[in-house]
């Protein structure tokens, strides 16, 4: 193999749109996009595109232009589109672990994860909320210089939106948004922008929690009692970050030109602008880990699985972004 190590792409839930969008992504990238090797079931993928079983990730580049390279890890039960098999949950989790191990060993330059169905995984004893936390656990003992994540970043076009809290009820957000959590998130994002995105002097924006950034305390005190102290600490560490700004003015074209990433305090504060800017092409990226990890910003699509209509835009964008991040790390 010549060139950079391939990306490892875990196949995700085999009864969802994962196999189909992987095939479509390969068709779009086989002539020159980042090379990837699928960790999954070759038979399930062969329904959608020609595949080549390979023994090692290093063999992927040799076949990528004509077939999808697959490190074959067969499913216990072949499933029908739209009908997940609970017995396959352990294998789906194993695919993720194999992909992460390939990246930790240097055999792959990063990890891209196709969507998983959480209910079958939970039923099989999976104890993590999702990919992000699982991959953080898998890489916990690996050496890593810098602020440790995981931090979830969603990207769409020129927007990088990073979450201080993720899948928490909105009613709990005021308690979860602490000085420590804001500072930790900002440190991870600041370092990741330099390491993974080639931004020499990152500029961070901070979204306020309350309307009008609390209006001086008239409609909320979190900006005064939590966010302003966090900003003071971060600026003392040399991190460039704004005061807490009203979220309703942070995402238009002119505003996005003033920062490299924005810290959002709860799920929809980030996801609404991301999906408005590019509903089909958003990417979920995990920052602050020893390995690069990206994922399409959508679910398993059981309702359209096997119908040939799934769009691969988000997966293609995730593969390309992982390739760019890997290149940035190699350039250090």
């Amino acid at each position: 193999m010549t060139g950079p190590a391939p990306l490892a792409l875990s196949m995700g839930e085999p009864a969802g749109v994962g196999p189909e969008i992987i095939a479509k992504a390969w068709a779009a990238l086989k002539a020159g996009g980042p090379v990837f090797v699928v960790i999954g079931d070759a038979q399930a993928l062969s329904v959608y595109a020609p595949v080549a079983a390979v023994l090692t990730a290093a063999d992927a580049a040799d076949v990528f232009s004509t077939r999808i390279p697959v490190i074959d890890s067969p499913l216990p039960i072949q499933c029908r589109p739209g009908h997940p098999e609970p017995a396959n949950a352990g294998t789906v989790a194993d695919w993720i672990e194999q992909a992460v191990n390939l990246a930790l060993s240097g055999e792959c330059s990063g990890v891209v994860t196709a969507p998983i169905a959480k209910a079958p995984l939970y039923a099989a004893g999976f104890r993590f909320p999702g990919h992000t936390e699982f991959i953080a656990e898998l890489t916990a003992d690996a050496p890593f210089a810098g602020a440790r994540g995981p931090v979830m970043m969603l990207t769409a076009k020129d927007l990088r939106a990073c979450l201080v809290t993720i899948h928490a009820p909105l009613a709990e957000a005021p308690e979860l948004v602490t000085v420590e959590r804001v500072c930790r998130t900002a440190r991870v994002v600041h370092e990741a922008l330099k390491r993974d995105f080639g931004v020499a002097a990152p500029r961070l924006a901070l979204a306020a929690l309350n309307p009008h950034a609390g209006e001086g305390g008239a409609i909320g005190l979190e900006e005064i009692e939590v966010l302003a102290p966090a900003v003071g600490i971060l600026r003392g560490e040399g991190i460039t970050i704004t005061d807490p700004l009203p979220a309703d003015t942070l995402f238009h074209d002119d505003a996005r030109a003033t920062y490299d990433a924005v810290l959002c305090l709860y799920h929809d504060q980030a996801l609404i602008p991301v999906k408005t800017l590019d509903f089909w092409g958003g990417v979920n990226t995990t920052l602050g880990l020893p390995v690069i990890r990206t994922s399409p910003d959508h679910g398993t699509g059981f309702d359209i699985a096997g119908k040939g209509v799934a769009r691969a835009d988000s997966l293609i964008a995730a593969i390309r972004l992982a390739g760019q991040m890997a290149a940035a790390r190699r350039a250090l």
Side-chain angles (χ1 to χ4, degrees):
M1 180 192 73
T2 59
L7 300 166
L9 201 170
S10 59
M11 200 170 78
E13 170 53 57
V17 297
E20 179 183 341
I21 61 173
I22 289 171
K24 290 178 176 178
W26 168 77
L29 298 170
K30 63 181 179 179
V35 172
F36 60 81
V37 58
V38 176
I39 317 302
D41 185 292
Q43 181 179 340
L45 191 55
S46 68
V47 173
Y48 298 94
V51 303
V54 296
L55 295 178
T56 70
D59 299 324
D62 294 334
V63 301
F64 191 74
S65 63
T66 58
R67 291 165 292 169
I68 303 176
V70 183
I71 295 178
D72 190 24
S73 178
L75 292 162
I77 301 175
Q78 288 296 321
C79 51
R80 292 182 295 127
H83 299 274
E85 289 283 353
N88 291 334
T91 301
V92 171
D94 288 343
W95 293 340
I96 301 167
E97 186 167 0
Q98 289 179 56
V100 170
N101 287 337
L102 286 168
L104 286 173
S105 70
E107 296 172 75
C108 288
S109 58
V111 176
V112 182
T113 57
I116 54 175
K118 295 177 183 176
L121 286 168
Y122 294 157
F126 190 75
R127 59 184 178 84
F128 303 92
H131 272 117
T132 300
E133 296 82 2
F134 184 37
I135 295 174
E137 175 75 11
L138 292 173
T139 59
D141 294 330
F144 182 67
R148 194 84 177 218
V151 167
M152 183 182 290
M153 170 186 281
L154 289 306
T155 58
K157 296 185 177 178
D158 61 344
L159 174 62
R160 303 183 184 103
C162 307
L163 286 164
V164 174
T165 71
I166 307 176
H167 296 119
L170 186 57
E172 296 179 8
E175 293 183 6
L176 293 174
V177 176
T178 62
V179 172
E180 187 279 331
R181 189 171 274 122
V182 171
C183 287
R184 183 187 70 85
T185 304
R187 293 176 187 124
V188 171
V189 174
H190 174 79
E191 292 181 7
L193 287 171
K194 293 194 291 184
R195 178 185 59 246
D196 298 332
F197 294 87
V199 179
R203 303 164 300 163
L204 303 184
L206 176 62
L209 181 67
N210 295 298
H212 300 190
E215 203 72 81
I219 48 178
L221 295 174
E222 285 83 4
E223 286 72 24
I224 295 171
E225 296 179 350
V226 177
L227 300 182
V231 166
I233 292 169
L234 293 165
R235 287 176 178 167
E237 297 173 2
I239 293 174
T240 299
I241 187 168
T242 68
D243 293 330
L245 299 174
D248 62 353
T249 62
L250 263 177
F251 300 105
H252 62 84
D253 292 350
D254 291 344
R256 296 198 309 275
T258 66
Y259 58 79
D260 300 299
V262 55
L263 272 60
C264 298
L265 303 182
Y266 56 91
H267 183 275
D268 286 8
Q269 195 175 60
L271 271 291
I272 288 172
V274 165
K275 294 193 176 187
T276 300
L277 273 176
D278 191 356
F279 182 78
W280 297 110
V283 176
N284 179 350
T285 303
T286 306
L287 305 180
L289 296 182
V291 301
I292 291 163
R293 181 261 169 161
T294 66
S295 178
D297 186 28
H298 61 71
T300 53
F302 285 136
D303 57 327
I304 61 170
K307 297 180 180 179
V309 298
R311 293 181 56 156
D313 309 47
S314 186
L315 179 59
I316 293 168
I319 293 168
R320 285 178 169 154
L321 181 58
Q324 292 163 7
M325 293 171 68
R329 286 197 182 188
R330 288 195 298 273
L332 292 176

